[in-house]
Amino acid sequence: MNSNISVYLDEQLNSPQTLNSNDRYEKDFNTDMTKYKKVSLMDVVLETVSNSDLLKAAREQVIQSEIKLKDSVAGYYPTLNFEAENGRTQSTNVDSGTKDTKFFRYYNDRNYKFILSQNIYSGGETSNTIKSLEKKLNVEKNQYQIVLQEQITKAIKAYFDVVFSYRTVLASENNMENLNRILEIVTIKYDNGAATIGDLTAIKANVSNAQTQLTKVKSKLTESIRYYEYIVGQNYIQTLPYEKNFNINVSTFDLLYERGIKRNSMILNYYESLEAEKFNLKSKRSSFAPKLDFEVSLDNVMDKEDYEEREQEFNALFRLT
């Protein structure tokens, strides 16, 4: 919250208005906010959406779900692994009769291996995992839409709260001016004996009630501006919403109901979540099924005990687990 505007609002909008020595209401012209830069509703909505931390967090959840889905799809592709070993071994010769150590012998171990493997059957675990993650991705996308709608709704509410609160303050100020003129007339009549003390007391009571109401609407304006600044962000401090008339086309109730059923993100998320859990359960059950993998390996031995020459082996096998 910008401290300047907060102090301004607290001092100017919430300061109690008083009657002067002639019982005349003095209007506080500092409540005039025409010095603020006017902003449209569309600008406020776009600024709110661009600065929303909740929306950024929801977008990150969508990205993480996409990454998990891509990792899961990789289960359909073959994997290539590389293994290498480089070490030195001490071998001890022991006399079988006396159990005494006769001598030590050292040799190197150096080899590497390429292993190419491809899953052939896993009981549907991969496909069910992918389907589950696809549904979860849809859930995160719908959740992003929900957060987006909430932020837009908050921006619209904050905008119109300021618009109507400010116009209410102006109307209340105008009402106080009218009552002030009436008070002057009644006071003159009373001084001239054309009005009774009851008439004067009644108009003063109306002025007092209007003053109390004005204080309330100014407090409401203060709250509305603070909430507006909180929602829209620091870049729009000391800006004034002003738009109040919009051309809105309202569809029939049946059409709105049909759209609500088909596009309601919360309802869609409910069904997508059920589908995601269904496929996730199938994937868990698949872990009990046998798995068949095809594996090809290329072994190269470059040094070992009693090494004579480089050895190379090519192996292919089916692995059932």
PDB file of all heavy atoms in Angstrom, residues 120-145:
ATOM      1  N   ILE A 120       8.239 -54.625 -23.662  1.00  0.00           N
ATOM      2  CA  ILE A 120       7.281 -55.181 -24.607  1.00  0.00           C
ATOM      3  C   ILE A 120       5.898 -55.292 -23.988  1.00  0.00           C
ATOM      4  O   ILE A 120       4.884 -54.984 -24.632  1.00  0.00           O
ATOM      5  CB  ILE A 120       7.766 -56.565 -25.097  1.00  0.00           C
ATOM      6  CG1 ILE A 120       9.096 -56.406 -25.852  1.00  0.00           C
ATOM      7  CG2 ILE A 120       6.724 -57.217 -25.997  1.00  0.00           C
ATOM      8  CD1 ILE A 120       9.696 -57.722 -26.296  1.00  0.00           C
ATOM      9  N   TYR A 121       5.842 -55.692 -22.738  1.00  0.00           N
ATOM     10  CA  TYR A 121       4.555 -55.847 -22.072  1.00  0.00           C
ATOM     11  C   TYR A 121       4.720 -55.517 -20.594  1.00  0.00           C
ATOM     12  O   TYR A 121       5.666 -55.972 -19.943  1.00  0.00           O
ATOM     13  CB  TYR A 121       4.036 -57.277 -22.227  1.00  0.00           C
ATOM     14  CG  TYR A 121       2.740 -57.531 -21.492  1.00  0.00           C
ATOM     15  CD1 TYR A 121       1.526 -57.063 -22.002  1.00  0.00           C
ATOM     16  CD2 TYR A 121       2.732 -58.231 -20.280  1.00  0.00           C
ATOM     17  CE1 TYR A 121       0.340 -57.286 -21.326  1.00  0.00           C
ATOM     18  CE2 TYR A 121       1.547 -58.458 -19.609  1.00  0.00           C
ATOM     19  CZ  TYR A 121       0.351 -57.985 -20.133  1.00  0.00           C
ATOM     20  OH  TYR A 121      -0.825 -58.199 -19.465  1.00  0.00           O
ATOM     21  N   SER A 122       3.798 -54.696 -20.069  1.00  0.00           N
ATOM     22  CA  SER A 122       3.850 -54.356 -18.640  1.00  0.00           C
ATOM     23  C   SER A 122       2.459 -54.380 -18.018  1.00  0.00           C
ATOM     24  O   SER A 122       2.225 -53.743 -16.990  1.00  0.00           O
ATOM     25  CB  SER A 122       4.480 -52.970 -18.449  1.00  0.00           C
ATOM     26  OG  SER A 122       3.715 -51.972 -19.105  1.00  0.00           O
ATOM     27  N   GLY A 123       1.534 -55.059 -18.651  1.00  0.00           N
ATOM     28  CA  GLY A 123       0.196 -55.161 -18.099  1.00  0.00           C
ATOM     29  C   GLY A 123      -0.628 -53.891 -18.240  1.00  0.00           C
ATOM     30  O   GLY A 123      -1.605 -53.699 -17.526  1.00  0.00           O
ATOM     31  N   GLY A 124      -0.225 -53.007 -19.160  1.00  0.00           N
ATOM     32  CA  GLY A 124      -0.959 -51.752 -19.354  1.00  0.00           C
ATOM     33  C   GLY A 124      -0.571 -50.652 -18.388  1.00  0.00           C
ATOM     34  O   GLY A 124      -1.244 -49.615 -18.320  1.00  0.00           O
ATOM     35  N   GLU A 125       0.524 -50.834 -17.647  1.00  0.00           N
ATOM     36  CA  GLU A 125       0.922 -49.836 -16.644  1.00  0.00           C
ATOM     37  C   GLU A 125       1.267 -48.494 -17.295  1.00  0.00           C
ATOM     38  O   GLU A 125       0.826 -47.434 -16.837  1.00  0.00           O
ATOM     39  CB  GLU A 125       2.126 -50.361 -15.851  1.00  0.00           C
ATOM     40  CG  GLU A 125       2.606 -49.387 -14.784  1.00  0.00           C
ATOM     41  CD  GLU A 125       3.763 -49.949 -13.984  1.00  0.00           C
ATOM     42  OE1 GLU A 125       4.259 -51.043 -14.331  1.00  0.00           O
ATOM     43  OE2 GLU A 125       4.176 -49.282 -13.010  1.00  0.00           O
ATOM     44  N   THR A 126       2.046 -48.543 -18.375  1.00  0.00           N
ATOM     45  CA  THR A 126       2.459 -47.300 -19.033  1.00  0.00           C
ATOM     46  C   THR A 126       1.270 -46.547 -19.617  1.00  0.00           C
ATOM     47  O   THR A 126       1.123 -45.338 -19.414  1.00  0.00           O
ATOM     48  CB  THR A 126       3.475 -47.608 -20.136  1.00  0.00           C
ATOM     49  OG1 THR A 126       4.610 -48.288 -19.581  1.00  0.00           O
ATOM     50  CG2 THR A 126       3.950 -46.318 -20.801  1.00  0.00           C
ATOM     51  N   SER A 127       0.402 -47.265 -20.337  1.00  0.00           N
ATOM     52  CA  SER A 127      -0.740 -46.594 -20.972  1.00  0.00           C
ATOM     53  C   SER A 127      -1.698 -46.017 -19.939  1.00  0.00           C
ATOM     54  O   SER A 127      -2.203 -44.893 -20.098  1.00  0.00           O
ATOM     55  CB  SER A 127      -1.479 -47.581 -21.882  1.00  0.00           C
ATOM     56  OG  SER A 127      -1.979 -48.678 -21.138  1.00  0.00           O
ATOM     57  N   ASN A 128      -1.939 -46.752 -18.869  1.00  0.00           N
ATOM     58  CA  ASN A 128      -2.842 -46.242 -17.827  1.00  0.00           C
ATOM     59  C   ASN A 128      -2.232 -45.056 -17.078  1.00  0.00           C
ATOM     60  O   ASN A 128      -2.947 -44.118 -16.698  1.00  0.00           O
ATOM     61  CB  ASN A 128      -3.177 -47.357 -16.836  1.00  0.00           C
ATOM     62  CG  ASN A 128      -4.137 -48.384 -17.418  1.00  0.00           C
ATOM     63  OD1 ASN A 128      -5.079 -48.049 -18.126  1.00  0.00           O
ATOM     64  ND2 ASN A 128      -3.886 -49.657 -17.136  1.00  0.00           N
ATOM     65  N   THR A 129      -0.927 -45.087 -16.876  1.00  0.00           N
ATOM     66  CA  THR A 129      -0.253 -43.954 -16.231  1.00  0.00           C
ATOM     67  C   THR A 129      -0.364 -42.703 -17.091  1.00  0.00           C
ATOM     68  O   THR A 129      -0.619 -41.593 -16.588  1.00  0.00           O
ATOM     69  CB  THR A 129       1.224 -44.280 -15.968  1.00  0.00           C
ATOM     70  OG1 THR A 129       1.322 -45.419 -15.104  1.00  0.00           O
ATOM     71  CG2 THR A 129       1.931 -43.108 -15.319  1.00  0.00           C
ATOM     72  N   ILE A 130      -0.174 -42.876 -18.394  1.00  0.00           N
ATOM     73  CA  ILE A 130      -0.275 -41.726 -19.317  1.00  0.00           C
ATOM     74  C   ILE A 130      -1.689 -41.164 -19.317  1.00  0.00           C
ATOM     75  O   ILE A 130      -1.889 -39.938 -19.261  1.00  0.00           O
ATOM     76  CB  ILE A 130       0.146 -42.151 -20.734  1.00  0.00           C
ATOM     77  CG1 ILE A 130       1.650 -42.434 -20.779  1.00  0.00           C
ATOM     78  CG2 ILE A 130      -0.216 -41.078 -21.750  1.00  0.00           C
ATOM     79  CD1 ILE A 130       2.131 -42.980 -22.091  1.00  0.00           C
ATOM     80  N   LYS A 131      -2.690 -42.045 -19.374  1.00  0.00           N
ATOM     81  CA  LYS A 131      -4.081 -41.568 -19.364  1.00  0.00           C
ATOM     82  C   LYS A 131      -4.412 -40.846 -18.061  1.00  0.00           C
ATOM     83  O   LYS A 131      -5.118 -39.831 -18.062  1.00  0.00           O
ATOM     84  CB  LYS A 131      -5.030 -42.748 -19.576  1.00  0.00           C
ATOM     85  CG  LYS A 131      -4.965 -43.348 -20.976  1.00  0.00           C
ATOM     86  CD  LYS A 131      -5.885 -44.553 -21.104  1.00  0.00           C
ATOM     87  CE  LYS A 131      -5.793 -45.155 -22.499  1.00  0.00           C
ATOM     88  NZ  LYS A 131      -6.650 -46.358 -22.629  1.00  0.00           N
ATOM     89  N   SER A 132      -3.887 -41.351 -16.945  1.00  0.00           N
ATOM     90  CA  SER A 132      -4.125 -40.706 -15.662  1.00  0.00           C
ATOM     91  C   SER A 132      -3.495 -39.317 -15.620  1.00  0.00           C
ATOM     92  O   SER A 132      -4.116 -38.352 -15.168  1.00  0.00           O
ATOM     93  CB  SER A 132      -3.563 -41.572 -14.527  1.00  0.00           C
ATOM     94  OG  SER A 132      -3.687 -40.928 -13.278  1.00  0.00           O
ATOM     95  N   LEU A 133      -2.268 -39.213 -16.131  1.00  0.00           N
ATOM     96  CA  LEU A 133      -1.585 -37.924 -16.128  1.00  0.00           C
ATOM     97  C   LEU A 133      -2.230 -36.949 -17.107  1.00  0.00           C
ATOM     98  O   LEU A 133      -2.205 -35.729 -16.881  1.00  0.00           O
ATOM     99  CB  LEU A 133      -0.106 -38.114 -16.465  1.00  0.00           C
ATOM    100  CG  LEU A 133       0.710 -38.830 -15.393  1.00  0.00           C
ATOM    101  CD1 LEU A 133       2.136 -39.065 -15.866  1.00  0.00           C
ATOM    102  CD2 LEU A 133       0.724 -38.025 -14.091  1.00  0.00           C
ATOM    103  N   GLU A 134      -2.798 -37.445 -18.198  1.00  0.00           N
ATOM    104  CA  GLU A 134      -3.520 -36.570 -19.126  1.00  0.00           C
ATOM    105  C   GLU A 134      -4.741 -35.956 -18.443  1.00  0.00           C
ATOM    106  O   GLU A 134      -5.028 -34.758 -18.615  1.00  0.00           O
ATOM    107  CB  GLU A 134      -3.958 -37.367 -20.362  1.00  0.00           C
ATOM    108  CG  GLU A 134      -2.812 -37.680 -21.328  1.00  0.00           C
ATOM    109  CD  GLU A 134      -3.280 -38.550 -22.478  1.00  0.00           C
ATOM    110  OE1 GLU A 134      -4.369 -39.146 -22.374  1.00  0.00           O
ATOM    111  OE2 GLU A 134      -2.548 -38.634 -23.485  1.00  0.00           O
ATOM    112  N   LYS A 135      -5.439 -36.774 -17.667  1.00  0.00           N
ATOM    113  CA  LYS A 135      -6.605 -36.260 -16.944  1.00  0.00           C
ATOM    114  C   LYS A 135      -6.177 -35.253 -15.872  1.00  0.00           C
ATOM    115  O   LYS A 135      -6.842 -34.230 -15.658  1.00  0.00           O
ATOM    116  CB  LYS A 135      -7.385 -37.409 -16.304  1.00  0.00           C
ATOM    117  CG  LYS A 135      -7.987 -38.395 -17.306  1.00  0.00           C
ATOM    118  CD  LYS A 135      -8.998 -37.714 -18.209  1.00  0.00           C
ATOM    119  CE  LYS A 135      -9.619 -38.681 -19.193  1.00  0.00           C
ATOM    120  NZ  LYS A 135     -10.596 -38.026 -20.100  1.00  0.00           N
ATOM    121  N   LYS A 136      -5.074 -35.552 -15.204  1.00  0.00           N
ATOM    122  CA  LYS A 136      -4.589 -34.628 -14.179  1.00  0.00           C
ATOM    123  C   LYS A 136      -4.137 -33.305 -14.802  1.00  0.00           C
ATOM    124  O   LYS A 136      -4.296 -32.236 -14.193  1.00  0.00           O
ATOM    125  CB  LYS A 136      -3.438 -35.268 -13.400  1.00  0.00           C
ATOM    126  CG  LYS A 136      -3.881 -36.411 -12.494  1.00  0.00           C
ATOM    127  CD  LYS A 136      -2.721 -36.995 -11.728  1.00  0.00           C
ATOM    128  CE  LYS A 136      -3.189 -38.124 -10.809  1.00  0.00           C
ATOM    129  NZ  LYS A 136      -2.066 -38.723 -10.041  1.00  0.00           N
ATOM    130  N   LEU A 137      -3.583 -33.382 -16.004  1.00  0.00           N
ATOM    131  CA  LEU A 137      -3.212 -32.148 -16.707  1.00  0.00           C
ATOM    132  C   LEU A 137      -4.448 -31.315 -17.023  1.00  0.00           C
ATOM    133  O   LEU A 137      -4.436 -30.079 -16.877  1.00  0.00           O
ATOM    134  CB  LEU A 137      -2.453 -32.494 -17.988  1.00  0.00           C
ATOM    135  CG  LEU A 137      -2.079 -31.308 -18.894  1.00  0.00           C
ATOM    136  CD1 LEU A 137      -1.216 -30.300 -18.138  1.00  0.00           C
ATOM    137  CD2 LEU A 137      -1.361 -31.799 -20.149  1.00  0.00           C
ATOM    138  N   ASN A 138      -5.523 -31.990 -17.439  1.00  0.00           N
ATOM    139  CA  ASN A 138      -6.774 -31.275 -17.696  1.00  0.00           C
ATOM    140  C   ASN A 138      -7.319 -30.635 -16.414  1.00  0.00           C
ATOM    141  O   ASN A 138      -7.874 -29.529 -16.450  1.00  0.00           O
ATOM    142  CB  ASN A 138      -7.809 -32.231 -18.283  1.00  0.00           C
ATOM    143  CG  ASN A 138      -7.460 -32.680 -19.695  1.00  0.00           C
ATOM    144  OD1 ASN A 138      -6.732 -31.993 -20.408  1.00  0.00           O
ATOM    145  ND2 ASN A 138      -7.971 -33.830 -20.089  1.00  0.00           N
ATOM    146  N   VAL A 139      -7.140 -31.341 -15.295  1.00  0.00           N
ATOM    147  CA  VAL A 139      -7.581 -30.784 -14.010  1.00  0.00           C
ATOM    148  C   VAL A 139      -6.816 -29.506 -13.698  1.00  0.00           C
ATOM    149  O   VAL A 139      -7.403 -28.494 -13.274  1.00  0.00           O
ATOM    150  CB  VAL A 139      -7.386 -31.812 -12.877  1.00  0.00           C
ATOM    151  CG1 VAL A 139      -7.595 -31.155 -11.511  1.00  0.00           C
ATOM    152  CG2 VAL A 139      -8.354 -32.977 -13.042  1.00  0.00           C
ATOM    153  N   GLU A 140      -5.498 -29.523 -13.903  1.00  0.00           N
ATOM    154  CA  GLU A 140      -4.682 -28.339 -13.618  1.00  0.00           C
ATOM    155  C   GLU A 140      -5.034 -27.189 -14.563  1.00  0.00           C
ATOM    156  O   GLU A 140      -5.035 -26.021 -14.161  1.00  0.00           O
ATOM    157  CB  GLU A 140      -3.195 -28.677 -13.728  1.00  0.00           C
ATOM    158  CG  GLU A 140      -2.698 -29.688 -12.707  1.00  0.00           C
ATOM    159  CD  GLU A 140      -2.855 -29.207 -11.283  1.00  0.00           C
ATOM    160  OE1 GLU A 140      -2.971 -27.984 -11.066  1.00  0.00           O
ATOM    161  OE2 GLU A 140      -2.867 -30.052 -10.370  1.00  0.00           O
ATOM    162  N   LYS A 141      -5.336 -27.507 -15.812  1.00  0.00           N
ATOM    163  CA  LYS A 141      -5.735 -26.457 -16.758  1.00  0.00           C
ATOM    164  C   LYS A 141      -7.067 -25.844 -16.344  1.00  0.00           C
ATOM    165  O   LYS A 141      -7.249 -24.616 -16.412  1.00  0.00           O
ATOM    166  CB  LYS A 141      -5.833 -27.034 -18.171  1.00  0.00           C
ATOM    167  CG  LYS A 141      -4.479 -27.361 -18.801  1.00  0.00           C
ATOM    168  CD  LYS A 141      -4.650 -27.897 -20.208  1.00  0.00           C
ATOM    169  CE  LYS A 141      -3.299 -28.158 -20.871  1.00  0.00           C
ATOM    170  NZ  LYS A 141      -3.448 -28.707 -22.242  1.00  0.00           N
ATOM    171  N   ASN A 142      -8.002 -26.687 -15.930  1.00  0.00           N
ATOM    172  CA  ASN A 142      -9.287 -26.172 -15.458  1.00  0.00           C
ATOM    173  C   ASN A 142      -9.117 -25.342 -14.189  1.00  0.00           C
ATOM    174  O   ASN A 142      -9.786 -24.322 -14.000  1.00  0.00           O
ATOM    175  CB  ASN A 142     -10.259 -27.321 -15.205  1.00  0.00           C
ATOM    176  CG  ASN A 142     -10.745 -27.969 -16.486  1.00  0.00           C
ATOM    177  OD1 ASN A 142     -10.789 -27.333 -17.537  1.00  0.00           O
ATOM    178  ND2 ASN A 142     -11.101 -29.236 -16.412  1.00  0.00           N
ATOM    179  N   GLN A 143      -8.205 -25.799 -13.324  1.00  0.00           N
ATOM    180  CA  GLN A 143      -7.947 -25.041 -12.097  1.00  0.00           C
ATOM    181  C   GLN A 143      -7.349 -23.678 -12.419  1.00  0.00           C
ATOM    182  O   GLN A 143      -7.664 -22.677 -11.754  1.00  0.00           O
ATOM    183  CB  GLN A 143      -6.991 -25.832 -11.186  1.00  0.00           C
ATOM    184  CG  GLN A 143      -6.752 -25.199  -9.831  1.00  0.00           C
ATOM    185  CD  GLN A 143      -8.020 -25.087  -9.011  1.00  0.00           C
ATOM    186  OE1 GLN A 143      -8.885 -25.964  -9.067  1.00  0.00           O
ATOM    187  NE2 GLN A 143      -8.143 -24.009  -8.248  1.00  0.00           N
ATOM    188  N   TYR A 144      -6.523 -23.645 -13.449  1.00  0.00           N
ATOM    189  CA  TYR A 144      -5.972 -22.363 -13.899  1.00  0.00           C
ATOM    190  C   TYR A 144      -7.094 -21.434 -14.368  1.00  0.00           C
ATOM    191  O   TYR A 144      -7.094 -20.236 -14.057  1.00  0.00           O
ATOM    192  CB  TYR A 144      -4.976 -22.608 -15.025  1.00  0.00           C
ATOM    193  CG  TYR A 144      -4.409 -21.350 -15.633  1.00  0.00           C
ATOM    194  CD1 TYR A 144      -3.340 -20.680 -15.038  1.00  0.00           C
ATOM    195  CD2 TYR A 144      -4.955 -20.811 -16.800  1.00  0.00           C
ATOM    196  CE1 TYR A 144      -2.823 -19.524 -15.589  1.00  0.00           C
ATOM    197  CE2 TYR A 144      -4.449 -19.647 -17.351  1.00  0.00           C
ATOM    198  CZ  TYR A 144      -3.377 -19.018 -16.749  1.00  0.00           C
ATOM    199  OH  TYR A 144      -2.880 -17.861 -17.295  1.00  0.00           O
ATOM    200  N   GLN A 145      -8.059 -21.995 -15.100  1.00  0.00           N
ATOM    201  CA  GLN A 145      -9.191 -21.197 -15.557  1.00  0.00           C
ATOM    202  C   GLN A 145     -10.022 -20.697 -14.372  1.00  0.00           C
ATOM    203  O   GLN A 145     -10.524 -19.561 -14.387  1.00  0.00           O
ATOM    204  CB  GLN A 145     -10.066 -22.022 -16.500  1.00  0.00           C
ATOM    205  CG  GLN A 145      -9.422 -22.372 -17.823  1.00  0.00           C
ATOM    206  CD  GLN A 145      -9.142 -21.141 -18.668  1.00  0.00           C
ATOM    207  OE1 GLN A 145      -9.886 -20.158 -18.625  1.00  0.00           O
ATOM    208  NE2 GLN A 145      -8.063 -21.181 -19.435  1.00  0.00           N
TER     209      GLN A 145
END
